Amino acid sequence: MEWIPTPDSSNLSGFGYDPNTSVLRVEFKSGGTYEYYDVPSHVVDAMKSAPSKGQFLAYQIKGTYRYARV
């Protein structure tokens, strides 16, 4: 899983994506880690290029994909 740190984000520490399982793992600065399931790679590519990773997560991923705290 490629890990992408997000030092400029006020909310996210970083995220990673496993293309074999379509799982997006997001680590929050508050300490929580979540996995989002069945996320297509093009959505993750868009998140990588988004100016605000936290806003992208809030509006494009939360509420759309199944998730679990890990």
Side-chain angles (χ1 to χ4, degrees):
M1 178 180 293
E2 175 191 9
W3 189 253
I4 298 147
T6 54
D8 296 333
S9 175
S10 61
N11 195 23
L12 307 181
S13 293
F15 62 95
Y17 181 68
D18 184 341
N20 296 318
T21 60
S22 298
V23 172
L24 172 67
R25 178 177 281 215
V26 178
E27 185 176 296
F28 291 87
K29 289 190 174 173
S30 62
T33 301
Y34 289 80
E35 287 186 343
Y36 296 87
Y37 305 105
D38 303 318
V39 181
S41 61
H42 72 272
V43 173
V44 177
D45 290 341
M47 183 172 174
K48 288 177 185 177
S49 62
S52 170
K53 313 305 187 237
Q55 281 186 346
F56 187 92
L57 179 73
Y59 295 114
Q60 301 297 322
I61 295 175
K62 286 184 176 180
T64 302
Y65 300 99
R66 295 179 306 112
Y67 69 93
R69 186 172 183 158
V70 293

